[in-house]
Each structure stands twice: as structure tokens, then as C-alpha cells.
């Protein structure tokens, strides 16, 4: 199965989990149509579905149940989408284009966009709890998988990374150590958690060599992803990317390109891809999806 194949599975399931809602006054325990449709606007706007595809591919590689893995995979995409909605807000990155569409707050207003993000985050947790309860035979694995996803997205993960990113931008100070904290938490953690969540569902513990190898892949892949993101902000095409380009330099952000230059950033990306490739050794031929992913990420245009 390729990234596209997994993405198509995720697309269908997300569409079922958050169908279009009709405009009517909500019942006591119902989601308002406005909130539903604002969440859906950003969730169903395309996107590579990279994180859920990684979770499903890793579950397949390790022999976990794909049926059980589907909800954590979709939940992760909901959390990722919430982070994009909030990142685009005027108080954060203040962007008007995302996934090829006007950003959520441009269409629904700032208040509703904040709620759409909050809604996607809480719906993700609600769905994962339901999934754990539906699979009592794998209670420990389910809870551990959820823990990885929630912690990776949380205060010592993505939210923490975003916090320091905003802080450094406002204060105009950032050294290499702080930059690696930001990249590791804002970007890489959400690419490590799908692998660890799949490992947890398959019954692996954090002490196992498999868990450690997957973590090493996730770290290097996550940093590679960020390096390529920084490179694309300089050389990418706005239409193909579906988001604004050139903002990093305009805002004086400390990126891989700012730090190492364009060629230096490319070299750094190659080195990270090499590290990630090496960490797949314990999985042999079963890791074909993750080897291909390295090539497609290194050469991605969107
Ligand atoms: C608001 C808590 C909070 C966090 C924001 C999303 C984010 C964290 C920051 C966006 C800034 C940025 C460019 C981060 C680099 C990595 C990243 C998240 C890129 C977008 O992910 P893709 O390329 O997007 O997987 P699609 O749309 O394909 O899902």
C-alpha cells in the first residue's frame, strides 16, 4: 500500500466520522451544525494525510489490527487539522491560505475558528476513548497509543513547541538549541506519535528495540520534514503547496535555510534522511513504505 492508498482510506473514514450537518437548532446533546461544518471545512480540505497514513502503515508492518488503528489515525489527523486552524489565526501566524482554501477564520470568523480547533481536539479524544472501550481485549495497548498521541500534541509536545516558537519570534531571540526544541516539539512529535501509537497497539513496550528504532526514524523524519518545509518556503510554489510562501524570510524566522543557507539546508535534509533510513534496519523488507516515504518527502513539492 502507498501513501495515496492509506490516505484514501483515511479520507473515507473522516468523511463518515464528520458528515455534513443540516442547519437547525441543535438538540441538548447535539453538535451545532455551524461548529460541525466549520470543523469539516478544514478537515475535508485535502491534505496529505501523512500522519494517519504513517500510523496505519506502521500498524500493518507490526501486525496490529488495522480496524483498531483507524480511529487513532483519524483522531491524529483531527488534532493536526486543529493545529493548522489555530496556527493560521491572526494572533499566531496570521495566514489566509491553507490546503488551497481561505483559512478557517477568514470564512467563519475568528471566534468560530478557535472553536472549530477546540472541537476537533476534543472530538479526537472522545473518539479515542470510545475506541479503547470498544477493544477491551487490548486495553493496555489502546491506552498507551492514546497517551502517545495526546502527549505528543500537548504541553510537552506540539503546544509547547508552538509556545516557544511564538516567544522566540516576539522576542527576536533564538539559538540553535531553542530551535531544535521548537522543531522537535512543534513538528517532529506529531510524526513520532503515529509510529509509537501503532507500536503500542501491536503490544510493544517503550523499552523494546522496535519502539526505539521507530522513535529514531520518527525523530529524523520529523526534522527532515521541517527542513524540507523550510526549503519549500523559499523555493516552493504557492499553488502547489496550497499555502503562502516566503513568509519565513519576510518575518526573519530562524529556519534551516536561515541557519545553514539553501544548499546547507539541503545537505542537512540528506543527512537526516540517511539517519532515518538506517534506523529502519531491524524491520528489513517490511519497512518498504517508510523507505519510500523518505524519498517522496525529500523530493516533495507540496
Ligand atoms: C497551534 C498548537 C498549535 C500548533 C501549531 C501546525 C503548526 C503547529 C505549525 C504550522 C507551522 C509549520 C509550517 C509547521 C511545519 C510542519 C507542519 C505542521 C506542516 C504542515 O503539515 P502538512 O504538510 O500539511 O502535513 P497537510 O495540509 O498536508 O496536512
Amino acid at each position: 500500500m502507498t501513501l495515496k492508498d492509506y490516505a484514501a482510506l483515511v479520507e473515507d473514514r473522516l468523511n463518515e466520522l464528520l458528515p455534513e450537518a443540516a442547519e437547525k437548532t441543535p438538540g441538548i446533546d447535539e453538535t451545532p451544525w455551524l461548529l460541525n461544518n466549520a470543523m469539516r471545512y478544514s478537515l475535508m480540505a485535502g491534505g496529505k494525510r501523512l500522519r494517519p497514513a504513517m500510523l496505519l502503515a506502521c500498524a500493518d508492518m507490526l501486525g496490529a489490527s488495522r480496524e483498531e488503528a483507524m480511529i487513532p489515525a483519524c483522531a491524529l489527523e483531527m488534532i493536526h487539522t486543529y493545529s493548522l486552524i489555530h496556527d493560521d489565526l491572526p494572533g499566531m501566524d496570521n495566514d489566509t491560505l491553507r490546503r488551497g482554501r481561505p483559512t478557517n477564520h477568514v470564512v467563519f470568523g475568528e471566534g468560530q475558528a478557535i472553536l472549530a480547533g477546540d472541537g476537533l481536539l476534543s472530538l479526537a479524544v472522545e473518539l479515542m476513548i470510545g475506541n479503547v472501550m470498544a477493544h477491551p481485549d487490548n486495553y493496555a495497548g489502546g491506552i498507551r497509543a492514546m497517551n502517545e498521541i495526546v502527549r505528543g500534541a500537548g504541553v510537552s509536545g506540539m503546544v509547547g513547541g508552538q509556545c516557544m516558537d511564538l516567544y522566540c519570534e516576539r522576542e527576536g531571540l533564538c539559538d540553535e538549541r531553542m530551535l531544535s526544541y521548537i522543531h522537535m516539539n512543534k513538528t517532529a512529535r506529531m510524526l513520532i506519535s503515529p509510529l509509537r501509537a501503532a507500536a503500542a497497539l501491536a503490544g510493544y513496550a517503550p523499552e523494546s528495540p522496535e519502539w526505539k528504532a521507530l522513535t529514531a526514524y520518527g525523530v529524523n523524519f520529523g526534522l527532515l520534514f521541517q527542513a524540507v518545509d523550510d526549503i519549500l518556503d523559499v523555493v516552493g510554489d504557492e499553488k502547489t503547496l496550497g499555502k503562502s510562501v516566503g513568509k519565513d524570510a519576510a518575518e526573519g524566522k530562524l529556519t534551516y535555510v536561515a541557519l545553514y543557507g539553501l544548499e546547507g539546508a539541503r545537505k542537512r535534509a540528506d543527512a537526516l534522511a540517511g539517519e532515518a533510513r538506517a534506523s529502519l534496519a531491524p524491520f528489513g523488507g517490511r519497512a518498504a513504505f517508510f523507505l519510500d516515504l523518505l524519498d517522496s518527502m525529500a523530493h516533495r513539492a507540496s
Side-chain angles (χ1 to χ4, degrees), residues 16-199:
E16 286 167 14
L17 290 169
L18 201 62
E20 189 91 37
E23 185 172 337
K24 65 174 177 62
T25 305
I28 289 297
D29 60 357
E30 275 177 5
T31 309
W33 58 270
L34 177 57
L35 179 57
N36 186 97
N37 293 347
M39 293 192 291
R40 194 179 148 84
Y41 173 82
S42 294
L43 187 66
M44 303 313 291
K48 294 181 283 299
R49 312 307 192 194
L50 177 59
R51 295 153 191 82
M54 288 172 78
L55 200 156
L56 293 176
C58 192
D60 284 352
M61 179 172 87
L62 301 176
S65 149
R66 190 188 291 172
E67 183 274 322
E68 188 181 357
M70 187 53 98
I71 289 292
C74 290
L76 189 59
E77 184 66 16
M78 288 180 182
I79 296 173
H80 168 60
T81 304
Y82 121 71
S83 80
L84 299 178
I85 296 173
H86 281 194
D87 185 64
D88 291 333
L89 286 167
M92 294 213 198
D93 218 24
N94 194 18
D95 229 314
T96 54
L97 184 67
R98 173 71 70 180
R99 291 181 164 171
R101 292 183 175 187
T103 45
N104 199 288
H105 66 271
V106 168
V107 177
F108 294 94
E110 211 176 321
Q112 295 296 348
I114 293 171
L115 293 175
D118 295 341
L120 283 167
L121 174 60
S122 48
L123 180 59
V125 173
E126 196 179 314
L127 286 168
M128 285 192 286
I129 291 173
N131 198 49
V132 170
M133 292 194 293
H135 295 90
D137 49 316
N138 191 18
Y139 185 77
I143 289 282
R144 188 170 269 164
M146 191 165 95
N147 183 49
E148 285 303 325
I149 291 174
V150 171
R151 275 179 62 92
V155 291
S156 59
M158 178 183 70
V159 174
Q162 180 77 350
C163 167
M164 284 295 101
D165 195 18
L166 284 182
Y167 170 79
C168 287
E169 206 178 310
R170 212 187 73 176
E171 300 299 317
L173 46 94
C174 185
D175 56 20
E176 232 180 304
R177 222 177 121 238
M178 181 67 100
L179 188 68
S180 74
Y181 173 87
I182 292 170
H183 287 163
M184 192 57 207
N185 288 281
K186 188 182 81 168
T187 307
R189 287 292 295 280
M190 291 284 285
L191 295 160
I192 299 167
S193 62
L195 305 173
R196 286 181 170 175

